[in-house]
Amino acid sequence: MLWTEEMFHTRKPIIAMLHLDALPGDPMYSPDNDMKTTVAHARADLKALQEGGVDGILFSNEFSLPYERNMSFVTPASMARVIGELMSEIRVPFGVDCISDGLATLELAAAVGADFVRGTFCGVYVGDGGLYNNDFSKLLRRRAALPLEKLKMLYFINPESDRNLDTRPLKDIAKSTIFKANPDGLCISASAAGQDVDNELIAQVKAAAPEVVVLCNTGCRRDTIEQKLATADAAVVGTTFKENGDFFARVDAVRVKEFMEVAKAYRESLRTES
């Protein structure tokens, strides 16, 4: 049994993104949209996602554009405030992602008691934000020191919007990452949020890492989720849950429910087959 089945109490879980508004210090932050408003928006999205039947929640600072490699202290502090105010309302396992800063992600996870984290914890990448190197030797030592031995870590091995300078096939990168870092999950992405991941790419990584949870990280929609879950062990879903599938919109409870009906029907078909 994969650890995801124990944590989420189902095969092929759907982890929903909860995109926080721009936070203090972010270029898109406005005093008119203060932290009280940010909490209110997050509460409404949390309610829609949970009532729609998702299996887990991943809090991220999605609108802290452009993302910082070494995050300002105010960002994880603001995220911790939002999560803290919502803690009594969270009914499913939850995780955090301080985008592009693995160390901040671990620190936040320790502060709020997250069940899992997602991030770019290893590799060297280049993109719009320049060149960045992830020192997973430092991150894993910090994880041990906090300590966070029960925390599940989901690794990007081809993060959207950035190019890996390691030119080996993705399945080989997956194998070496597993040997050196023992990740709990590997996230497979397309080139941008909301874009479709190649099914064959997911299958290749899963074949190379059958003992590790492989997640489809972008582009899952109501009409494609069965295809993705046929090869992936889980999916991280964000954009398609928004009003009209618009990345910048709020979560639409009806879209969440309709998506989860398809996902749950597929999972039920797997159960009856077995």
Side-chain angles (χ1 to χ4, degrees), residues 1-130:
M1 178 184 292
L2 296 172
W3 65 264
T4 45
E5 296 178 45
E6 297 179 359
M7 178 178 289
F8 299 103
H9 307 294
T10 185
R11 293 178 65 186
K12 311 280 187 175
I14 303 298
I15 300 171
M17 298 293 300
L18 199 158
H19 296 164
L20 300 181
D21 292 351
L23 302 169
D26 293 336
M28 294 172 62
Y29 180 76
S30 169
D32 296 331
N33 188 29
D34 61 12
M35 286 300 299
K36 289 183 179 180
T37 304
T38 298
V39 172
H41 285 166
R43 174 172 284 114
D45 285 354
L46 177 66
K47 183 175 185 290
L49 291 169
Q50 291 188 144
E51 289 185 351
V54 302
D55 305 300
I57 302 287
L58 179 60
F59 292 90
S60 73
N61 60 316
E62 207 76 17
F63 296 111
S64 293
L65 296 161
Y67 303 124
E68 297 178 290
R69 305 304 185 197
N70 297 294
M71 190 170 283
S72 301
F73 294 146
V74 68
T75 306
S78 299
M79 296 176 71
R81 174 182 171 179
V82 176
I83 296 169
E85 292 205 31
L86 299 181
M87 191 68 72
S88 64
E89 301 167 47
I90 301 173
R91 304 195 306 268
V92 296
F94 77 94
V96 296
D97 180 1
C98 295
I99 298 177
S100 294
D101 190 332
L103 185 58
T105 298
L106 291 179
E107 303 279 358
L108 176 59
V112 300
D115 298 297
F116 59 94
V117 292
R118 184 190 69 167
T120 309
F121 302 123
C122 61
V124 181
Y125 297 88
V126 65
D128 296 335

Side-chain angles (χ1 to χ4, degrees), residues 129-191:
L131 183 70
Y132 64 107
N133 182 24
N134 300 281
D135 185 353
F136 61 179
S137 65
K138 180 180 179 180
L139 291 176
L140 293 181
R141 283 167 173 79
R142 184 58 177 156
R143 177 191 183 186
L146 281 171
L148 294 168
E149 67 272 7
K150 294 182 179 180
L151 181 72
K152 300 300 184 182
M153 294 184 66
L154 311 180
Y155 281 55
F156 285 118
I157 55 172
N158 66 334
E160 64 258 36
S161 303
D162 294 304
R163 182 179 296 278
N164 196 337
L165 297 186
D166 187 340
T167 59
R168 293 176 297 164
L170 198 60
K171 63 180 181 179
D172 293 339
I173 294 174
K175 288 180 179 179
S176 64
T177 301
I178 291 167
F179 178 76
K180 295 174 183 175
N182 192 31
D184 300 292
L186 300 173
C187 295
I188 313 301
S189 309
S191 58

Side-chain angles (χ1 to χ4, degrees), residues 19 45 63 242-251:
H19 296 164
D45 285 354
F63 296 111
K242 304 289 191 77
E243 297 168 0
N244 299 316
D246 180 356
F247 175 78
F248 291 97
R250 303 240 65 83
V251 172

